[in-house]
Each structure stands twice: as structure tokens, then as C-alpha cells.
Amino acid sequence: METVKAKVREFLRGYIADHEFADDEDIFASGYANSLFVMQLIYMVEREFQITVGDEDLEFDNFRSIDAVARLVTAKSAVPAGT
Amino acid sequence: MRAGVHSLTDVQNKILQSHRRFAEDEIAPHANAWDREGRVPREVVAAMGAAGHLGALIPAEYGGTELDMTEFGLLNEAIGFGCSSVRSVLTVHSMVSQAVTRWGNPEQRRAWLPGLATGEQVGAFALSEAEAGSDVAQITTVAENDGDGYLLSGTKRWITYGQGADVFLVFARHNGRHSAFVAGRDTPGLTVVPIDGMLGTRASMLAEVRFDNCRVPRSALLGRPGFGLAPIAAAALDVGRYSVAWGSVGLAQSCLELSLGHARERRAFGGPVFDHQLVQRLITDMATGVSAARLLCLQAGELVQGGAPTAVAAVWMAKYFASTSAFRAASDTVQIHGAYGCDPDGSPQRLFRDAKVMEIIEGSTQIQQTMIARLVPYEEKRP
């Protein structure tokens, strides 16, 4: 979980240089997130953690904060391959 | 080896030449006529489908050819070499295919992808409106809940291949956010009004698509509510930009080959026009631009294939460079051809008009300049 959070933090720092997000801070409410940001975040999560974000994962609560992304990745990583 | 293709590996060059043969046989000889007529015959789209080109981004289990992104790029270069209007059809169809493949549920994938893969069903991307182009969040088309479905109301404009498409991927405001819907052409309340005589890609059969209390079932909602612009439209537009970038390489390659041929054949002041150094400079800039654009496209393709977040910036850069380079190449092609370049029956003037469109569609040059500048800091911070 901490590894995932660190990666998401690193991504956010690279994308939004002038703001340090708290783990539970609402990224969408901050006004920083646009469509390109969300797309890149999904690409990053898929590539770094070898998961596929699908239709069923498209819930704002899954991407709302560093904590939320970490929960999504952890949950999807726990699913056995092939299911 | 053709002029300017030395940036490809032998394998990539063979793939490109294979797709070029299709473009040279089925498309290029007719491009000027289609431009004048303002339409691409459905038989040509069917031939694209039969060749597997329309299933390029669709998994094999649904009948697609499932090309990797580099080969998809090379296909777009070849079709763009032949005719930018046909390449535009390939672009929007591939955007719809990608969206359904990526964000559709199993039922939606089974319902739409087999037809899209063969070209029996051709897709169009219905996002732009009269007051919402680059600023897509300003769309005013709305979707309202209606029992077990939705009512779509609004008007989409400049929808590529809207005149011929069978399936529309429609974006609408829904409960304060934006959602994406798949609507068949025959849905009651959906009307297509042709838009003819645009500056370029005149055969791409643009249309205004009107939704007047157009009722679609709940199964038409693609992805979850509220995710229409991000990631569904954003990811599809990324595919579109990648396709247009490669298509611009093909357009510029066509300019280069036309210009070389004319400059070697046309004689002035006792020798071929090619012998004049000022013409050589134009040819040199054109050849260099084509090679550089192709290299940027190849780099973008590798990053997209690998799912790298940096792929987004790479695609923007490739499209920015390839489209502006193609316009310069087309302008110089008209110049090298002189009066022949302005002839309504010739290719240079069509290429010139088509190239200008490449600088506008899927993100204008100015939007790209702004976006690339914003993405640069992220690139610099990477270890």
C-alpha cells in the first residue's frame, strides 16, 4: 500500500509541481484534475502496477485521493490472474 | 526504398509497403475525384473493412486484427499517403473502436465490436458542437434519465463521416457531469444533415448530427456515468491525434514524392527544375520534415504500446510536428508545381487544403503548443 502511495505521490508531484497533496486530499476538489490528468493517472497506475483499469473501476471514489488510488490498486492486485 | 523512409527498420518498411500497395491500388488514384465529389464511396470503406484495416484496434476475439500501435501508425501513414479523407474515416472509426474495446462492458463489446471490426458498422465520434471545439467541456448536448434509458437532446457539428456512419459515440452532459453513449444511426430522434464544401478533407463526409429527444437504452451508456470526457473522450482523442500524426506523415510523404517527380521531369532554363538550388532546398526541408515526423511518431507509438504516461506528451509532440511539417510540405509542393500546383484537377492543391485541416483536427496547433508546454515539466522531473 505504501509503495503505491509513494508512486502516486511522485506522479502528482511531477504533474502538479506547486502543491503537495495529503493522502486523503480530494484531488478533484483541488481543481488540478483535468481530463488529461485523469487519463495519465490511469496509464501510470496500469503500467506501474500491472493492472487494467476497466469500466467497472470508473468510479470517482477510486481516483479521488492518493489513499483511494492505493485502495484500488491493492484490491485489483489481489485478484488472481485470469479472473 | 522510397524517398525519406530510412527511419524505418526493414520489418517496419515491409509493413508500410504492404499497406502502401493497398493505398496505391484502392485509394490514391481516386483521391482527387472523391475530393471533387465530396464523398468517399462506401465500397472503399468496405474494402478497408475487408482488408482488416477497420478492425486494427479491435481484439481478435471480436474479429479485429489487433495491430500493435506502430503497425497501426504505419497503416495510417499509408492511407494518409493515399487520401486524407479516407484516413479521417479510419481515424474516427478507430477512436470509436478503441472506446468500446476499452470501456465497454462485455455485453457492449459483443454487441458492437464484431460489426465495427469488419466495417459492416462504421463508427463516428460525436463530440464537437458549434460552441464547443477545443473546449469540449462546454458541450450543451444533454442526456436525461428516462425510465430504463436516456433521452439525448442537442446538436453535434463537423462530425467526420457523419453522413455515412452507422454508429455514433455521443458525449453529453448528464447529471452535471459528462457521459458517453453509443447510438445507432437508425435511433428515432437522430437526424444527420450533411456539411459539404469544407476547406479540406472534403470527401470525409462531415455532418451535423441532431438529437431530438433521441431515446437510447440504458445499455447505450459507455463506461460509468460522469467519465465521458475523462478518460473515455480523452483516451479516444489520444488515439485520434496519433492517427492524424501518422496520417500527416503520409500526406507529407505524398508531397515529397510528387515534388521530386515534378522537379525531375519539369524543365526550365535548360535543365530540370530539380537542378535549381532553391528548389533543392524545398525538397531537402520536405524530406527532413517527413523523416523527423516519422521518428517522432515511431517514438510515440512505442510509448503508447507500453502504456507509458509519457506517451500523452509524445503523441501531442508527434501530432504537432507532423501536422505543421505536412502543411509546410504541401505549401512547398504547390510552389514547386507552379500553376500545375493550383490546378483544380491536380493533387497539390488538394494536399494543401487537406494539410491545413491536419493543423486543426484532434487539437489545433495552438492547443498543442499550450499542452506540450504544460507537460514539459513532468518530462524534466522524471529520473
Side-chain angles (χ1 to χ4, degrees):
Chain A
M1 182 79 93
E2 284 309 312
T3 308
V4 179
K5 287 183 183 179
K7 283 284 181 190
V8 176
R9 261 185 236 114
E10 180 188 329
F11 172 81
L12 288 170
R13 267 188 227 113
Y15 201 90
I16 305 160
D18 58 351
H19 184 80
E20 191 72 26
F21 281 91
D23 286 2
D24 61 351
E25 185 175 350
D26 189 330
I27 298 169
F28 297 111
S30 71
Y32 288 105
N34 59 19
S35 59
L36 204 58
F37 168 84
V38 175
M39 193 173 75
Q40 284 186 292
L41 176 61
I42 290 173
Y43 284 172
M44 184 280 290
V45 163
E46 291 186 328
R47 184 184 165 95
E48 291 287 346
F49 306 107
Q50 301 294 304
I51 62 170
T52 299
V53 176
D55 161 54
E56 69 281 5
D57 304 312
L58 291 184
E59 300 289 350
F60 283 99
D61 286 345
N62 284 334
F63 302 95
R64 196 171 291 285
S65 65
I66 294 171
D67 280 340
V69 176
R71 279 194 298 272
L72 171 71
V73 171
T74 304
K76 289 194 75 77
S77 301
V79 177
T83 61
Chain B
M1 181 173 284
R2 297 177 196 277
V5 297
H6 53 274
S7 44
L8 299 178
T9 65
D10 287 346
V11 172
Q12 289 166 344
N13 197 35
K14 279 181 184 162
I15 292 169
L16 176 63
Q17 299 319 320
S18 166
H19 293 317
R20 274 278 299 253
R21 279 193 290 280
F22 175 87
E24 288 170 4
D25 291 345
E26 306 280 344
I27 296 173
H30 314 289
N32 290 340
W34 296 338
D35 178 71
R36 284 192 298 275
E37 294 160 10
R39 60 188 304 101
V40 171
R42 183 69 186 217
E43 301 80 62
V44 177
V45 179
M48 292 272 288
H53 299 335
L54 296 180
L57 298 186
I58 295 175
E61 65 178 295
Y62 298 104
T65 44
E66 205 172 349
L67 302 185
D68 70 33
M69 290 310 285
T70 299
E71 182 164 358
F72 177 63
L74 294 168
L75 169 66
N76 277 271
E77 174 179 338
I79 304 300
F81 170 88
C83 173
S84 289
S85 289
V86 178
R87 200 269 313 135
S88 294
V89 177
L90 173 64
T91 297
V92 295
H93 178 85
S94 298
M95 291 164 71
V96 175
S97 300
Q98 183 273 345
V100 176
T101 297
R102 182 65 205 268
W103 306 113
N105 58 37
E107 182 191 333
Q108 289 168 324
R109 290 200 289 266
R110 280 194 299 272
W112 297 108
L113 292 180
L116 290 168
T118 60
E120 184 187 335
Q121 302 250 299
V122 181
F125 191 76
L127 176 60
S128 296
E129 298 180 2
E131 302 299 327
S134 298
D135 189 0
V136 295
Q138 300 308 311
I139 60 173
T140 58
T141 296
V142 294
E144 293 176 330
N145 296 334
D146 182 51
D148 58 351
Y150 306 94
L151 281 180
L152 301 176
S153 302
T155 300
K156 298 294 178 179
R157 197 132 189 228
W158 306 298
I159 305 307
T160 297
Y161 205 59
Q163 295 180 41
D166 307 286
V167 184
F168 294 90
L169 180 57
V170 189
F171 296 86
R173 285 178 178 273
H174 177 226
N175 291 337
R177 296 188 185 274
H178 299 90
S179 295
F181 302 87
V182 182
R185 184 191 188 89
D186 56 359
T187 309
L190 190 161
T191 312
V192 173
V193 180
I195 299 175
D196 296 318
M198 294 290 281
L199 173 71
T201 57
R202 283 186 175 168
S204 61
M205 300 170 69
L206 265 60
E208 185 171 282
V209 183
R210 297 175 182 167
F211 300 89
D212 182 15
N213 283 324
C214 175
R215 192 176 192 287
V216 293
R218 184 157 309 267
S219 60
L221 177 70
L222 190 70
R224 299 299 164 105
F227 282 88
L229 294 189
I232 297 175
L237 286 166
D238 215 34
V239 169
R241 268 187 291 280
Y242 182 72
S243 168
V244 172
W246 275 103
S248 297
V249 173
L251 191 159
Q253 178 72 32
S254 179
C255 289
L256 176 61
E257 293 180 25
L258 267 179
S259 296
L260 272 174
H262 182 80
R264 285 171 177 157
E265 286 174 15
R266 175 77 170 169
R267 297 179 70 81
F269 306 107
V273 167
F274 183 81
D275 287 349
H276 296 281
Q277 289 179 330
L278 292 177
V279 172
Q280 288 174 9
R281 181 199 164 167
L282 298 179
I283 299 281
T284 295
D285 286 351
M286 213 179 288
T288 306
V290 169
S291 282
R294 190 180 286 112
L295 283 167
L296 281 172
C297 286
L298 284 169
Q299 174 186 265
E302 285 179 16
L303 291 169
V304 172
Q305 186 67 35
T310 48
V312 176
V315 171
W316 281 99
M317 283 184 190
K319 197 272 184 179
Y320 170 52
F321 187 86
S323 60
T324 51
S325 182
F327 184 67
R328 279 194 301 276
S331 175
D332 289 345
T333 298
V334 172
Q335 195 69 22
I336 290 168
H337 282 74
Y340 284 108
C342 304
D343 190 298
D345 293 326
S347 296
Q349 55 84 30
R350 171 179 55 82
L351 291 164
F352 181 69
R353 289 185 285 102
D354 288 353
K356 177 40 76 181
V357 174
M358 300 308 107
E359 285 202 271
I360 296 169
I361 54 173
E362 318 308 5
S364 71
T365 293
Q366 288 67 36
I367 290 287
Q368 286 157 11
Q369 289 166 334
T370 306
M371 296 307 297
I372 292 166
R374 288 180 191 167
L375 290 169
V376 165
Y378 177 66
E379 294 287 295
E380 287 176 345
K381 279 173 181 288
R382 286 177 61 78

